[in-house]
Amino acid sequence: MSGTAQIGVTGLAVMGRNLARNFARHGYTVAVHNRSYARTQSLVEEHGDEGTFVPSESMADFVASLERPRKVVIMVKAGGPTDAVIDELVPLLEEGDIVVDAGNAHFPDTIRREAALKEHGLHFVGTGVSGGEEGALNGPSIMPGGTREAYESLGPILEDISAKVDGVPCATYVGSDGAGHFVKMVHNGIEYADMQLIAEAYDLLRQGLGASAAEIGEIFAQWNTGDLESFLIEITADVLKHTDADTGKAFVDIILDQAEQKGTGRWTVQNGLDLGVPITGIAEATFARALSGSVPQREAARAVLPAHAAQWEVKDRDAFIEDVRQALYASKVVAYSQGFDQIAAAATEYGWDIDRGAMARIWRGGCIIRARFLNRITEAYERAADLPLLLADEYFTDAVASGLPAWRRVVAGAAQNGVPTPAFSSSLAYYDGVRAERLPAALVQAQRDFFGAHTYKRVDREGTFHTEWSGDRTEAEA
Ligand code: 6PG
């Protein structure tokens, strides 16, 4: 016997609850289930008028309330809780049913789960969902993996409830097994980089201009009308203009300066290391959070480490603001370029066919990194689907080149004045590194050969060589 609900959601904490409401508001009959029934009941009591919900107390009733092939969205805490729900669900499902994990799962877990469920004739669709509570309710960006077959029946529903930009849904098929969660992971890594770059720009303006938080909020609001227009710039302006009700101080000044993370940025960096992709912007952003939380080290350092830096004197206020804006844009392009490189490398490594232009397209709305300039990324991949480096696309080459003098002035100024700008600085170093005619890596290779006979290649002929460093220093083919 099959039920009437077109889609089901199990796990009704805020994200699951909002996703269920989003489905219902789009006219789908939604089966709802939660470990504690009270939450299911409160959803139906509070929002039952938004659409048709079919509440169930037991997992068995929940599964029975779904039409076939069943589509079950799991929205529980990533890790053990997801496995527990899957274990409970699997014996109740039948061949062809689709299990959707919409949490922030680590992609190797998704690959493992997809393979396990395939054994049972079930589809497992690891799906990245971005946009927080608000997005889940009003239209998130959705990044589903799994089989194309599953996407055929599930995809239209996901596209329906996703955010739209110019009428185009911010949801599309990403690639097989763990590809959806992988792309969501990189999204989060880029989110970390974007946030850190914005924070560094704020710090530069604050220290360079001696401006108040609210004044800088105005600058960000102004920036949000141009190339930098994005959700993160917009909320930054709001945060900086906000005053703490208790103290009357700028809100940003009453917050402890120790940034936390749930782990997706760390996963992105770990994977960048595994794949050998220099995602330096994301890595610096992740380490900047770690540094901020290194309390004993910071205390010890504050007590003894001198700055030997001058008091920053900015002569031309407007020119400095424009320099920081250009440096921010250029650094941001680098962070995205690196993130897209990571997606390309992963696609090769894990056997995914990922359309990077489409990823930029579904990030234009709904998600945390939604931004005007993502259109430019889509266009770049439309011009050349296999672009080796986003920075090499004509639009980005020109955009970064025109900001280069400002970028160098800002990074040099920060160094001279003792303002930490790890993401700005490392992005510029990446830019100079990746475009360099020759890198000192040649010397590193020589050193490796010296102490470990690790061999090297020559610029002037084929082959692998070793020099007898401890002997007569003759060279032999290895
Ligand atoms: C999103 C966000 C979200 C993320 C946290 C940030 O796309 O909606 O990326 O999925 O989990 O908001 O994570 P941290 O706690 O690691 O900063």
Side-chain angles (χ1 to χ4, degrees):
M1 247 269 300
S2 124
T4 56
Q6 290 150 302
I7 191 140
V9 179
T10 177
L12 300 175
V14 124
M15 287 293 287
R17 194 178 180 86
N18 283 1
L19 263 188
R21 290 173 60 196
N22 189 351
F23 285 125
R25 288 173 173 195
H26 280 83
Y28 298 100
T29 300
V30 191
V32 282
H33 170 266
N34 191 67
R35 206 155 42 96
S36 81
Y37 190 49
R39 220 183 248 280
T40 314
Q41 285 173 311
S42 84
L43 167 63
V44 178
E45 274 158 29
E46 287 163 37
H47 305 288
D49 58 344
E50 293 178 4
T52 312
F53 295 100
V54 183
S56 293
E57 189 160 3
S58 74
M59 192 65 102
D61 288 347
F62 168 69
V63 169
S65 72
L66 285 153
E67 68 178 30
R68 301 213 48 215
R70 302 183 182 90
K71 299 174 192 67
V72 180
V73 179
I74 303 174
M75 201 34 143
V76 299
K77 209 166 161 331
T82 307
D83 282 319
V85 173
I86 292 172
D87 289 347
E88 203 183 342
L89 265 174
V90 167
L92 302 167
L93 297 173
E94 291 167 273
E95 202 168 324
D97 287 349
I98 302 168
V99 177
V100 182
D101 174 12
N104 264 338
H106 197 195
F107 77 95
D109 288 338
T110 305
I111 293 176
R112 165 178 62 79
R113 290 170 182 145
E114 204 265 348
L117 265 65
K118 199 179 272 167
E119 299 279 303
H120 296 273
L122 301 172
H123 295 283
F124 184 75
V125 180
T127 302
V129 177
S130 177
E133 299 169 21
E134 167 77 19
L137 183 61
N138 296 318
S141 171
I142 310 180
M143 297 150 249
T147 60
R148 276 201 184 273
E149 193 189 339
Y151 192 79
E152 267 166 39
S153 60
L154 179 71
I157 305 180
L158 299 182
E159 289 178 21
D160 208 11
I161 65 143
S162 74
K164 311 284 179 304
V165 174
D166 303 331
V168 179
C170 294
T172 195
Y173 178 64
V174 175
S176 57
D177 55 66
H181 275 141
F182 182 89
V183 164
K184 174 66 193 344
M185 180 190 80
V186 175
H187 164 284
N188 279 28
I190 292 175
E191 172 185 306
Y192 280 41
D194 221 339
M195 292 165 74
Q196 174 65 21
L197 288 168
I198 289 173
E200 289 177 18
Y202 151 76
D203 203 20
L204 285 162
L205 293 173
R206 193 110 194 230
Q207 301 209 36
L209 299 176
S212 71
E215 282 166 336
I216 299 167
E218 286 302 335
I219 295 170
F220 275 95
Q222 182 57 36
W223 287 355
N224 201 39
T225 61
D227 284 340
L228 281 170
E229 182 189 320
S230 62
F231 171 70
L232 286 170
I233 294 275
E234 181 191 324
I235 64 164
T236 301
D238 278 3
V239 168
L240 291 176
K241 287 192 254 175
H242 185 59
T243 304
D244 175 50
D246 262 8
T247 58
K249 290 185 180 160
F251 180 71
V252 71
D253 289 339
I254 57 98
I255 296 181
L256 201 62
D257 61 346
Q258 294 164 23
E260 300 184 2
Q261 63 162 308
K262 291 200 211 74
T264 46
R266 183 167 50 238
W267 291 343
T268 316
V269 179
Q270 285 167 341
N271 177 262
L273 291 171
D274 286 346
L275 295 176
V277 181
I279 44 165
T280 56
I282 298 172
E284 288 296 352
T286 308
F287 284 128
R289 291 193 190 190
L291 186 148
S292 76
S294 303
V295 177
Q297 289 79 2
R298 288 180 65 189
E299 270 172 16
R302 250 199 307 260
V304 295
L305 301 187
H308 288 313
Q311 184 64 34
W312 208 337
E313 273 177 51
V314 170
K315 295 210 171 56
D316 183 337
R317 187 180 188 274
D318 290 346
F320 180 70
I321 294 171
E322 179 56 15
D323 272 5
V324 175
R325 190 192 70 80
Q326 291 190 18
L328 173 56
Y329 189 66
S331 304
K332 180 173 160 137
V333 170
V334 166
Y336 279 71
S337 185
Q338 294 176 339
F340 278 91
D341 272 1
Q342 187 176 8
I343 292 175
T348 305
E349 178 71 18
Y350 309 120
W352 298 325
D353 180 15
I354 301 180
D355 174 351
R356 286 175 292 171
M359 298 306 104
R361 193 173 63 240
I362 64 170
W363 288 348
R364 290 181 310 161
C367 65
I368 305 297
I369 64 170
R370 59 186 182 264
R372 179 201 280 204
F373 101 128
L374 285 159
N375 263 330
R376 302 292 194 170
I377 298 184
T378 303
E379 285 163 15
Y381 287 115
E382 276 166 7
R383 280 191 282 274
D386 55 356
L387 194 64
L389 177 80
L390 188 59
L391 281 165
D393 170 75
E394 60 196 38
Y395 168 79
F396 289 109
T397 303
D398 291 351
V400 171
S402 67
L404 201 49
W407 199 8
R408 294 200 190 285
R409 277 194 296 274
V410 168
V411 169
Q416 272 166 351
N417 293 285
V419 179
T421 53
F424 270 54
S425 307
S426 74
S427 300
L428 181 56
Y430 172 87
Y431 178 88
D432 282 328
V434 79
R435 68 171 191 85
E437 203 60 55
R438 257 186 86 68
L439 289 168
L443 177 57
V444 173
Q445 279 299 86
Q447 291 165 334
R448 293 180 67 240
D449 190 57
F450 192 111
F451 63 68
H454 294 300
T455 74
Y456 53 88
K457 290 190 165 56
R458 297 181 56 102
V459 295
D460 52 0
R461 52 183 199 272
E462 290 291 307
T464 303
F465 302 90
H466 168 59
T467 290
E468 282 302 328
W469 294 102
S470 51
D472 60 2
R473 304 214 162 166
T474 53
E475 181 180 79
E477 195 140 6

